[in-house]
Amino acid sequence: MRQIAIVGSGPAGYYTAEAALKAWGDDVHVDIIDCLPVPYGLIRSGVAPDHQSIKGVSRRYEATSLAENVRFVGNVLVGRDVSVSELRGLYDAVILATGAPNDRKLGLPGEDLANVFGSASFVGWYNGHPNFADLDPALSHDTAVVIGNGNVALDVARILAKARAEFDGSDIVSHALDALHASRINRIVILGRRGPHQIAMTPKELGELGHLERAAPRVDPADLPPEAEDGALEPGQRKSVGHLRAFAALADAERAARPITVEFDFFASPKAIIGTGRVEAIEVERTRLEDNRAVGTGETYTIPAGLVIACIGYQTSPIPEVPFDERGGRFANDEGRIGPGLYCVGWARRGPTGTIGTNRPDGFGVIEKVAEDITEGAGKPGATGLDAIVRERGISVVEFHDWKKIEEAEVANAREGAPREKFVMVEAMIAAAGKG
């Protein structure tokens, strides 16, 4: 029997486990190892809490977890609790599916000021990720600036703009919901270095912005290219730009009826974050397009702001003993191969690109490479060897049936209208699982 360890229980990890089952059936055992006691990675802590339909993909992952030859091994941090070299000694293949949980740095003066956050930490805060539960962003200033022109920036702006009742049915955690309800922010500025034709925002998400209870989107008509040029765009992009045109045409009376403005500031590149101890403003340079690239014009202006959230991308966490591509922010690999018996998949392989579904062909692709390299099992101990190590080191492993106890408690603790109330502390998760 082949022994496979997958490190990371997000979409890439589960699609890879599914591929292993399809490739070898009963002739494989898969351990899915995660540093948290709870599975599903980005689905749990990255997808916007008001996008519950997207989170439904976890039911597919649950079906994989319930296979007899697949095991979820939660609350085990690879690189601390067990080393990569130890795993390579226990398993025929070790596949790193750790995603890209860290924010890319802006590289700007002042980015270390208080109340300046990356999207991984801010999204983790309102999604209840244990690493960011105590983030405590100050929402007392009237203006927030969101840097980026992708869906994550749009998610952050929407969450900041929503009324409390609009979170009904979502699994936003209560501490974030209470803070957002008390927020004094009434202007949210979304900065994009390029123009409307270059945004990475998808039409569905942009369309949501036009239907918020208390917030009106604003686009400067002067930023929009001639409408005739939209014909050269691919259909989805054309639809997105159509939403921007509708925002630009919004009647003044309709805007005036909503107390919050979500303002798209195109051709705007942040140059510095200004403040003493805490952010007070952001300096921005006006840009123009040259060969589809944003080039600074030298014209600068300042936006007073008390909160800045950078949504400019992510990078993988390095793991001891694993070669790392610092420039790419991912593990150094050759189409998923890192070294003998060591692989990577998903964002850990290619960087933070694509959708959740993109990880499925990626998972099947890496298993094809494993099958080429490992024609049969080498009689390695796999799960029994890992169990011996964690037992010796006193680690409370959370398996899938333990996670179901955590899930049951979260559902029982839910406020009215919410699907669950997530535990935001690892200790509380362990206790709910009934582990020591």
Side-chain angles (χ1 to χ4, degrees), residues 82-170:
V82 60
S83 69
V84 169
S85 59
E86 286 174 322
L87 291 180
R88 293 173 84 174
L90 297 174
Y91 295 88
D92 296 300
V94 176
I95 305 169
L96 304 178
T98 52
N102 299 326
D103 285 302
R104 257 183 61 202
K105 285 287 196 180
L106 282 165
L108 297 180
E111 69 177 310
D112 295 325
L113 288 170
N115 236 36
V116 177
F117 305 106
S119 53
S121 56
F122 193 76
V123 171
W125 169 71
Y126 62 64
N127 265 328
H129 192 292
N131 290 356
F132 308 112
D134 59 355
L135 197 70
D136 196 24
L139 308 178
S140 52
H141 195 279
D142 59 3
T143 300
V145 172
V146 180
I147 301 171
N149 260 191
N151 276 349
V152 176
L154 202 52
D155 284 345
V156 167
R158 188 183 67 255
I159 295 298
L160 285 171
K162 275 194 164 186
R164 188 181 188 109
E166 291 179 290
F167 287 106
D168 288 351
S170 80

